């Protein structure tokens, strides 16, 4: 893929324009059924990151633990449903043009898995599955899920500080061996796929 495409697409990981804080606050209050100050002693108005389906805010629970709060955008399911309908429509057209190819399995796979992206309870369970699978390794850490404050549209997890893997200058500045990081990512990804039977769709 050309570098220009990689640069543009990578911004969708965590640099999508953020939704206004009042929108996010209403979504959290609606999901948790209580005001922010009942759950959090502090909640940053500016997100740490914002992607296509949700954005993440740093917050502090009443007991002092620092957490990452992932908040799904209101109305995102309607957009995803429209996108799914469009994909199905396009694949039906392709099926007419390419009669030797069966697009049915693709349609079924997309229709089954895309809605799961919008279920943060499912995401939390997947995180715990991966944590258990890598439980014997000290070099792979998965944030803990705070289930008391997690719903299908709000995911509260342990906040782990770190350096983004694409921030090469900061990694080198911290004295981190880039080759070792690359090897670790490859090993972990292959272990998930070939030993655990788990396909991680967001390797970034």
């Amino acid at each position: 893929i050309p570098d220009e495409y990689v640069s543009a697409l990578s911004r969708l990981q965590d640099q999508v324009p953020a939704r206004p804080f009042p929108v996010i606050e209403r979504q959290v209050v609606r999901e948790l059924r209580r005001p922010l100050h009942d759950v959090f002693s502090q909640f940053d108005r500016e997100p740490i990151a914002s992607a296509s389906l949700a954005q993440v805010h740093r917050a502090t629970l009443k007991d002092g633990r620092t957490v990452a709060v992932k908040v799904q955008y209101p109305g995102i399911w309607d957009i995803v449903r429209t996108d799914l309908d469009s994909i199905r429509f396009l694949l039906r057209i392709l099926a007419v043009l390419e009669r030797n190819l069966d697009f049915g399995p693709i349609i079924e796979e997309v229709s089954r898995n895309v809605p799961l992206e919008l279920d943060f309870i499912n995401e939390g369970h997947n995180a715990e599955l991966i944590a258990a699978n890598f439980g014997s390794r000290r070099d792979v850490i998965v944030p803990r899920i705070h289930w008391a404050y997690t719903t299908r549209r709000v995911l509260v997890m342990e906040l782990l500080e770190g350096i983004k893997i694409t921030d090469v200058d900061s990694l080198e500045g911290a004295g981190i061996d880039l080759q070792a990081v690359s090897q670790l990512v490859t090993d972990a990804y292959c272990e998930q796929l070939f030993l655990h039977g788990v396909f991680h769709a967001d390797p970034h």
Side-chain angles (χ1 to χ4, degrees):
I1 300 175
D3 289 345
E4 294 81 4
Y5 282 60
V6 172
S7 177
L9 291 171
S10 67
R11 286 196 290 271
L12 296 175
Q13 294 174 0
D14 58 11
Q15 297 174 37
V16 174
R19 301 290 170 92
F21 181 70
V23 172
I24 296 303
E25 182 178 18
R26 281 195 300 272
Q27 181 79 321
V28 175
V29 169
R30 183 167 42 244
E31 287 296 309
L32 300 185
R33 298 181 178 163
R34 47 192 149 161
L36 284 186
H37 60 75
D38 279 4
V39 178
F40 308 100
S41 59
Q42 178 267 334
F43 196 106
D44 286 2
R45 296 177 67 89
E46 293 298 319
I48 299 170
S50 50
S52 52
L53 301 178
Q55 64 192 50
V56 179
H57 291 256
R58 178 193 300 264
T60 305
L61 294 173
K62 289 286 193 176
D63 62 10
R65 288 178 292 179
T66 304
V67 294
V69 183
K70 183 176 180 179
V71 185
Q72 189 176 120
Y73 300 134
I76 199 70
W77 172 242
D78 293 333
I79 296 170
V80 170
R81 186 185 292 117
T82 300
D83 288 346
L84 284 173
D85 290 342
S86 299
I87 291 169
R88 291 188 195 103
F89 176 72
L90 289 172
L91 289 176
R92 280 195 289 270
I93 292 174
L94 280 175
V96 172
L97 298 175
E98 295 287 346
R99 296 183 184 278
N100 293 330
L101 297 176
D102 180 10
F103 292 97
I106 297 175
I107 295 172
E108 290 175 17
E109 185 80 5
V110 168
S111 298
R112 182 172 59 249
N113 285 294
V114 169
L116 291 176
E117 288 282 313
L118 301 177
D119 184 350
F120 290 171
I121 291 176
N122 179 69
E123 183 173 331
H125 288 311
N126 283 337
E128 290 188 333
L129 172 66
I130 291 171
N133 288 342
F134 285 110
S136 62
R137 294 183 62 150
R138 292 174 177 259
D139 53 1
V140 176
I141 302 170
V142 179
R144 291 185 185 88
I145 307 300
H146 293 284
W147 286 110
Y149 314 113
T150 293
T151 71
R152 290 187 64 193
R153 295 178 182 88
V154 172
L155 177 61
V156 179
M157 68 193 99
E158 173 187 13
L159 179 69
L160 297 177
E161 301 286 354
I163 301 171
K164 189 174 178 181
I165 197 168
T166 53
D167 187 354
V168 174
D169 290 341
S170 294
L171 290 170
E172 290 178 333
I176 293 172
D177 182 344
L178 300 183
Q179 183 64 40
V181 171
S182 179
Q183 188 64 55
L184 173 59
V185 170
T186 303
D187 290 349
Y189 197 74
C190 290
E191 184 173 331
Q192 285 181 87
L193 191 59
F194 298 119
L195 297 183
H196 308 155
V198 174
F199 173 67
H200 195 313
D202 276 333
H204 68 272

